[in-house]
């Protein structure tokens, strides 16, 4: 039988704890990158709209 380890999600086998750690690290990195690039900024979304505030040439 596999050794059960107590993690923040309860008692799980070692493989599941390692997989959870990888997923948590991946998710934290995704959130950090999204925040860094302004994915959740409402102000940035307003600036991107063409024809209102963008000074891009119309095609």
């Amino acid at each position: 039988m596999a050794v059960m380890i107590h993690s923040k999600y309860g008692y799980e086998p070692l493989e599941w704890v390692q997989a959870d750690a990888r997923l948590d690290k991946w998710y934290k990195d995704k959130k950090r990158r999204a925040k860094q690039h302004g994915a959740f900024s409402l102000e940035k979304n307003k600036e991107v709209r063409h024809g209102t505030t963008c000074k891009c040439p119309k095609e």
Side-chain angles (χ1 to χ4, degrees):
M1 183 169 174
V3 177
M4 301 298 274
I5 298 174
H6 183 69
S7 69
K8 65 181 181 180
Y9 301 111
Y11 285 95
E12 299 177 324
L14 178 62
E15 295 84 14
W16 289 21
V17 172
Q18 292 171 343
D20 287 340
R22 283 193 304 268
L23 286 172
D24 288 342
K25 185 177 178 183
W26 174 83
Y27 183 67
K28 184 178 177 183
D29 184 54
K30 286 290 182 186
K31 281 178 51 178
R32 182 187 62 81
R33 287 176 182 259
K35 184 178 179 184
Q36 193 175 36
H37 293 289
F40 299 112
S41 173
L42 296 176
E43 296 301 320
K44 181 173 180 160
N45 289 339
K46 288 180 183 176
E47 293 174 9
V48 173
R49 261 192 263 163
H50 292 283
T52 55
T53 58
C54 185
K55 295 176 181 160
C56 303
K58 294 187 178 183
E59 295 180 76

